[in-house]
Amino acid sequence: MSWEGILSSFQQQRTTIALGGGPKAIQRQHEKNRLTARERIQLLSDQETLFLDIGHWAAWSMYTEHGGCDGAAVVCGIATVCGRAVMVIANDATIKAGAFFPMTCKKVLRAQRIALQNRLPLVYLVDSAGVFLPLQDEIFPDEDDFGRIFRNNAVISALGIPQLAAIMGNCVAGGGYLPVLCDKLIMTEGSGLYLAGPALVKSAIGQEVSHEELGGARMHASISGTIDFHEPDDAAAIERLRQLIEHLPRDARAQEFQRSTPGEPAAGPSLTQIVPALAGKTFEVRDVIRGLVDQDSFIEYKAAFGQTIVCGLARLGGFPIGIVANQRHPVQSPKEGMQFGGVIYHDSADKAARFIMDCNQTWTPILFLQDVMGFMVGRDSEHAGIIRAGAKLVNVISNSRVPKLTVIIGGSYGAGNYGMCGKAFDPRFIFGWPNAKYAVMGGKQAAATLLDINVAALKRVGKEPDPAEMEQLRSAVTKSYDDSTDIRYAAARLWVDDIIEPDQTRERLIRCLEIVTRHASAEPFRTGVLQV
């Protein structure tokens, strides 16, 4: 498929996800005199500013047995409000009344983590029926489940990071703790805040009480004293939030990070003209780098050594950055001979590790551009110490104190994902292009391996598959594996924060750099024992 076809398909699906529960559900929300989650965010945000969506594709094509939950029934992202960057977490009541599914918890936790790492104020727009009971065992008890959200509220507050909440609909059961653990709490007329609703109260203790008397805005404003501001409707609540946010300190930048006057990228072909739509094809990654960074700012590091990874310093929107990128065409090494593109060899791992250490010395944020097949295997590679070199690379990435950003622009396979700062290695933000693939190994290798396993299982029970059955089995295995390597599959599970179009990448990265340079870690750079 061409880039045009891929982007058109993704744009259509992205628009569908943004509609939440769909037109009828949106109409029902409006009939309650309430805005949708995205309408609330739009009203809260400064006009003509970028909303940096986090987890837009969460739960995509998941929970189909329950009717689906695209977007995980919550909208998360970084908005600009009164000139200040804030993390917004807004329940989408058009999807299952904003109930929490397992992926809803993970999406909220990811948003809280980004806010914590970057010292971003948080705004919660609460409109949720609470835990989705049919899946309560996957939502309620574990360390990265529902309760962790409230634990994070308390930890974030103790660090002095502002948290504001507006209850604009339902807020029931354990979910009631979230807004009450915030610094400032707004509630609209007609909303409800209680640990148990009227029906449950009657069932539990036999007491008959109305919705308003039990947990309405007037009661909490005048009797319990739980809320700070009682507003008539969504528009008034959002205006109050803007007033309160305007009293927060202006966005700062940690003194360790600098920014010069932003430049423009070099004139030339677009990124979709440089990178083939089909992942795994060859291209020159230096052209991608030049298409992203400020013109004439790229300084390549050890250009003639370890050439399957390109490293260098540049400026992006005026921010100094280090870049670690997989080279996607074959290269000729004076010592090793021909090396395959997209593969991490011992020399490229050594080079990248040293470069990352140097970036940590100079407080330079690092951008990883992933299109990686994995680490080189075989006798010669093992003799050269590929495991040792790979371990060193993983060590320095794991212990980096500078902000890391990762963009998957092609394949992200196996341990190569680790060596190029995959999700497990704490990138502040991680994005994928629509053509990206995400798996433990390439599709052909995996399909062959899985087919052998299936055939062996059939033979153990005395069944010898005929050629037609083999072909049917091969097709089924290949389709299943291809589905699971699709970047949408990864984004649905929050392995990437969002899927972005290639030509949006520079704008998104500049916004991310504005965010990640707000705060510098107080920890010194240290690696422990390195295999040298």
Side-chain angles (χ1 to χ4, degrees), residues 327-444:
Q327 179 59 278
R328 281 302 292 136
H329 62 70
V331 298
Q332 190 70 28
S333 165
K335 182 179 178 182
E336 310 294 336
M338 198 268 287
Q339 295 180 332
F340 297 107
V343 177
I344 302 175
Y345 289 78
H346 65 93
D347 54 353
S348 51
D350 275 334
K351 176 175 82 171
R354 190 177 188 282
F355 179 72
I356 290 165
M357 288 189 279
D358 186 60
C359 288
N360 274 273
Q361 289 288 90
T362 57
W363 284 103
T364 305
I366 306 170
L367 168 63
F368 293 84
L369 297 177
Q370 277 199 21
D371 190 358
V372 59
M373 296 301 296
F375 286 84
M376 189 58 189
V377 297
R379 181 188 60 197
D380 292 345
S381 188
E382 298 292 356
H383 287 184
I386 185 63
I387 297 177
R388 169 191 53 75
K392 180 163 63 174
L393 178 59
V394 166
N395 189 318
V396 299
I397 291 173
S398 302
N399 287 294
S400 286
R401 64 178 177 178
V402 296
K404 296 167 292 193
L405 307 173
T406 299
V407 183
I408 303 169
I409 65 173
S412 180
Y413 294 112
N417 171 277
Y418 306 157
M420 291 295 293
C421 196
K423 181 67 182 293
F425 293 85
D426 299 328
R428 298 285 185 93
F429 294 94
I430 178 168
F431 302 113
W433 283 2
N435 66 324
K437 301 293 181 183
Y438 213 129
V440 73
M441 65 176 74
K444 290 181 180 179

Side-chain angles (χ1 to χ4, degrees), residues 97-432:
F100 274 69
F101 282 67
M103 288 309 302
T104 315
C105 293
K106 289 177 171 42
K107 183 171 174 177
V108 172
L109 289 171
R110 175 61 178 161
Q112 287 184 321
R113 183 175 188 181
I114 290 172
L116 176 62
Q117 288 177 318
N118 300 293
R119 301 303 192 263
L120 279 169
L122 286 116
V123 174
Y124 302 91
L125 306 180
V126 183
D127 191 354
S128 171
V131 166
F132 185 67
L133 289 177
L135 295 173
Q136 63 85 25
D137 60 319
E138 299 178 44
I139 301 167
F140 169 67
D142 209 349
E143 64 180 355
D144 60 348
D145 285 345
F146 201 47
R148 189 74 172 188
I149 296 170
F150 315 135
R151 176 264 183 195
N152 286 352
N153 287 137
V155 170
I156 289 168
S157 180
L159 286 170
I161 301 170
Q163 296 180 96
L164 302 88
I167 300 171
M168 311 169 87
N170 292 315
C171 184
V172 300
Y177 288 112
L178 184 150
V180 179
L181 282 162
C182 291
D183 308 334
K184 297 177 178 65
L185 178 51
I186 299 164
M187 190 171 178
T188 60
E189 185 67 24
S191 296
L193 169 63
Y194 31 65
L195 290 180
L200 185 55
V201 168
K202 183 177 181 180
S203 173
I205 64 174
Q207 185 181 74
E208 292 194 22
V209 61
S210 70
H211 162 89
E212 175 58 38
E213 184 184 2
L214 183 65
R218 292 181 184 274
M219 188 282 291
H220 282 303
S222 61
I223 298 176
S224 78
T226 301
I227 67 172
D228 304 314
F229 302 93
H230 175 195
E231 303 297 342
D233 54 29
D234 283 13
I238 288 171
E239 178 56 32
R240 182 71 70 192
L241 279 170
R242 286 184 58 85
Q243 291 172 356
L244 296 171
I245 291 168
E246 197 166 22
H247 280 265
L248 298 179
R250 287 279 181 182
D251 288 357
R253 182 171 300 114
Q255 63 179 3
E256 289 84 354
F257 305 112
Q258 304 298 318
R259 185 181 191 182
S260 58
T261 303
E264 293 295 328
S270 68
L271 295 178
T272 52
Q273 292 173 310
I274 295 169
V275 180
L278 183 61
K281 296 294 184 180
T282 63
F283 59 90
E284 173 54 68
V285 78
R286 294 179 183 88
D287 293 337
V288 176
I289 293 170
R290 293 187 188 100
L292 288 173
V293 304
D294 298 353
Q295 186 170 359
D296 298 328
S297 68
F298 181 57
I299 306 170
E300 189 167 355
Y301 175 85
K302 291 185 183 289
F305 180 75
Q307 297 175 70
T308 63
I309 291 182
V310 173
C311 299
L313 299 170
R315 292 187 181 274
L316 182 55
F319 287 101
I321 60 164
I323 297 172
V324 179
N326 299 112
Q327 179 59 278
R328 281 302 292 136
H329 62 70
V331 298
Q332 190 70 28
S333 165
K335 182 179 178 182
E336 310 294 336
M338 198 268 287
Q339 295 180 332
F340 297 107
V343 177
I344 302 175
Y345 289 78
H346 65 93
D347 54 353
S348 51
D350 275 334
K351 176 175 82 171
R354 190 177 188 282
F355 179 72
I356 290 165
M357 288 189 279
D358 186 60
C359 288
N360 274 273
Q361 289 288 90
T362 57
W363 284 103
T364 305
I366 306 170
L367 168 63
F368 293 84
L369 297 177
Q370 277 199 21
D371 190 358
V372 59
M373 296 301 296
F375 286 84
M376 189 58 189
V377 297
R379 181 188 60 197
D380 292 345
S381 188
E382 298 292 356
H383 287 184
I386 185 63
I387 297 177
R388 169 191 53 75
K392 180 163 63 174
L393 178 59
V394 166
N395 189 318
V396 299
I397 291 173
S398 302
N399 287 294
S400 286
R401 64 178 177 178
V402 296
K404 296 167 292 193
L405 307 173
T406 299
V407 183
I408 303 169
I409 65 173
S412 180
Y413 294 112
N417 171 277
Y418 306 157
M420 291 295 293
C421 196
K423 181 67 182 293
F425 293 85
D426 299 328
R428 298 285 185 93
F429 294 94
I430 178 168
F431 302 113

